[in-house]
Amino acid sequence: VYINGKRIANGPTRGTDTRFFVDCYDVTSAFDAGRNHLAARVHCPVTPLSSAVPPIAPALLVEVEGIATGELVGTDASWHVCVDPSTRADAPFYTHHIGYSECRDFRREPVGWQTDEDDADIWSDAVEISDAHEFGGRMLSTRTIPALTDDRYRPDLILGTGGVPMAQPGIEDDVEYAALMQ
């Protein structure tokens, strides 16, 4: 989740077959006076990994209390969506324990999508699928433990670099790249 290009949160918050857990954040400092832009990347393979996880459609629920008005603003049909052209839809499935691999070609990512400075032609109107309190037939519950932190550590020394696989022509289009990772 991004507000005005600044990364605010990362998910997903794990749930169960009957309950989705949600995270709450104080995002007051991320908003500017006037118009703001909230953006989120949603990834959902729409395939169950076990019998305890029934398939659901990708979805997003965001609610933000208006700073000045106190009015609750949330995701609805007025929002815009697009299929991320940098993510491959045919990513291989590893196992039921690991799930899908994720393959993204960052050269195809729309520049500026986090700040509303990208190509407006790739976006379409969102579809409102249900009331927030009946989200896919599951209950929504605020998670009571703190969210994971996102600490980044840079290496002191790089001994060498390489790719998987090592520079082979055409490999960026090979959907069997997951087998190489085994």
Side-chain angles (χ1 to χ4, degrees), residues 7-149:
R7 187 163 168 249
I8 301 298
N10 188 37
T13 301
R14 301 293 180 191
T16 69
D17 59 338
T18 60
R19 179 181 315 265
F20 282 128
F21 291 102
V22 296
D23 287 327
C24 298
Y25 298 91
D26 180 356
V27 295
T28 308
S29 63
F31 287 101
D32 297 329
R35 188 172 187 266
N36 289 275
H37 182 75
L38 188 144
R41 177 184 306 278
V42 178
H43 176 75
C44 178
V46 194
T47 299
L49 299 180
S50 73
S51 60
V53 184
I56 58 170
L60 174 69
L61 172 65
V62 174
E63 294 179 332
V64 179
E65 186 176 338
I67 297 169
T69 65
E71 177 184 349
L72 189 65
V73 176
T75 45
D76 60 18
S78 70
W79 285 49
H80 295 101
V81 298
C82 81
V83 174
D84 180 2
S86 70
T87 301
R88 293 188 61 163
D90 60 350
F93 184 76
Y94 281 117
T95 68
H96 288 286
H97 302 288
I98 298 171
Y100 282 87
S101 59
E102 183 177 357
C103 179
R104 294 188 57 213
D105 183 344
F106 288 101
R107 297 170 298 181
R108 294 184 178 148
E109 182 177 61
V111 175
W113 72 269
Q114 301 98 329
T115 58
D116 195 27
E117 297 172 2
D118 61 342
D119 182 4
D121 291 342
I122 66 171
W123 297 92
S124 59
D125 293 335
V127 176
E128 195 168 344
I129 59 172
S130 71
D131 179 85
H133 300 288
E134 296 183 18
F135 200 61
R138 298 181 187 188
M139 296 186 316
L140 295 181
S141 299
T142 302
R143 185 164 59 159
T144 57
I145 60 173
L148 295 174
T149 61

